[in-house]
Amino acid sequence: MRYLDFSSWQGILTTLLGLVFITLVGVGIRLIVMQTMQQRRERENRQINERLRSLIAAYKTLGGSFTGDLSVDPTHLRELRLQAAEHGEALSEDNERARRTRDAVEAALSDIILLGTEQQVRLAASAATELAAGRATHTHELVVSLRNFIRQVLDLEAVPSELQIPKQGPARVSASKGGKNDGGEKSGGKGAGTMGGVGGGMMGAGMGMGLGGGLTEDESAPK
């Protein structure tokens, strides 16, 4: 206060201008700091949303079935064709479905190795090793780890320990239909493909907005 001069109107004007300048500088610094923190928080939330969306998709792929054969058949298409040729048979729809299921599981394991926790990466790497060695693989343990992690990130209650949930396996991917359907898809033209792309984009945008809003409120989510 000793530097404030109120003895003359020039001194008062100089003092007021100095106070206004200091106030503006302080407010500007505060705004810059707040904007930087907000941008960092938004970037972290986007990363969490992308990671969570990928892990949810992997969970649905690896744990979409409760009945039937819950293992992943590692047989490749060329091996299936050789086996069918040896027996003089055409490639069956079941073989095609098993191949598509294996491809979807491999893609899900790749996402988990990239974005999962340490435990999930270990389980996914073990499953990928089993597939590469040509052995049937089960994914239930990895599905349980994903389920617990996703519920924790979404701030949901843990699954009751006394609840008996059947073992989960990969979702059965339906084989593509040939013949008339393929011709219909080709004759559908460019318009049908465009409409499908627009619809998929709108669904993806809606999902991103929903997840982003939920995780922005939850600042305690693990990063």
Side-chain angles (χ1 to χ4, degrees):
M1 295 294 291
R2 64 180 181 176
Y3 296 104
L4 301 180
D5 184 9
F6 297 101
S7 61
S8 62
W9 69 268
Q10 292 92 346
I12 294 175
L13 181 60
T14 303
T15 300
L16 291 178
L17 290 176
L19 291 175
V20 170
F21 177 75
I22 294 175
T23 302
L24 290 176
V25 171
V27 172
I29 294 175
R30 181 180 180 183
L31 289 176
I32 292 175
V33 173
M34 291 179 62
Q35 185 178 9
T36 302
M37 293 179 62
Q38 182 179 3
Q39 291 177 350
R40 181 184 302 174
R41 188 180 299 113
E42 290 176 354
R43 182 172 61 254
E44 292 173 350
N45 286 333
R46 285 196 299 269
Q47 293 174 352
I48 293 174
N49 293 341
E50 291 296 330
R51 180 186 186 189
L52 184 60
R53 184 158 47 244
S54 298
L55 292 181
I56 288 176
Y59 171 82
K60 291 180 178 180
T61 299
L62 298 179
S65 298
F66 293 93
T67 59
D69 187 5
L70 301 180
S71 63
V72 183
D73 187 357
T75 309
H76 287 267
L77 179 61
R78 59 179 179 274
E79 298 173 355
L80 294 174
R81 288 175 175 172
L82 288 175
Q83 294 175 4
E86 290 177 357
H87 294 82
E89 300 175 353
L91 195 63
S92 66
E93 183 179 348
D94 292 338
N95 291 336
E96 179 69 13
R97 182 183 296 111
R99 182 185 68 84
R100 290 178 176 271
T101 299
R102 189 209 68 231
D103 292 344
V105 168
E106 288 182 349
L109 293 176
S110 177
D111 289 341
I112 295 173
I113 292 175
L114 177 64
L115 300 172
T117 62
E118 180 180 356
Q119 180 190 18
Q120 294 163 6
V121 170
R122 292 180 182 276
L123 293 174
S126 176
T129 302
E130 293 291 320
L131 287 176
R135 294 188 289 269
T137 306
H138 293 270
T139 59
H140 176 70
E141 188 175 357
L142 178 56
V143 169
V144 173
S145 178
L146 287 171
R147 181 176 63 217
N148 295 336
F149 175 76
I150 292 171
R151 293 184 67 87
Q152 180 183 0
V153 173
L154 294 178
D155 199 21
L156 300 175
E157 296 180 357
V159 177
S161 57
E162 67 275 6
L163 184 63
Q164 297 295 328
I165 299 178
K167 287 188 175 182
Q168 295 174 250
R172 289 180 285 274
V173 182
S174 59
S176 62
K177 298 180 180 179
K180 185 181 297 184
N181 288 343
D182 290 342
E185 290 178 359
K186 292 181 180 179
S187 63
K190 193 173 182 180
T194 304
M195 291 297 293
V198 172
M202 292 177 64
M203 291 179 62
M207 181 179 179
M209 291 177 63
L211 285 174
L215 286 180
T216 301
E217 297 176 356
D218 183 16
E219 294 299 333
S220 62
K223 301 174 178 60

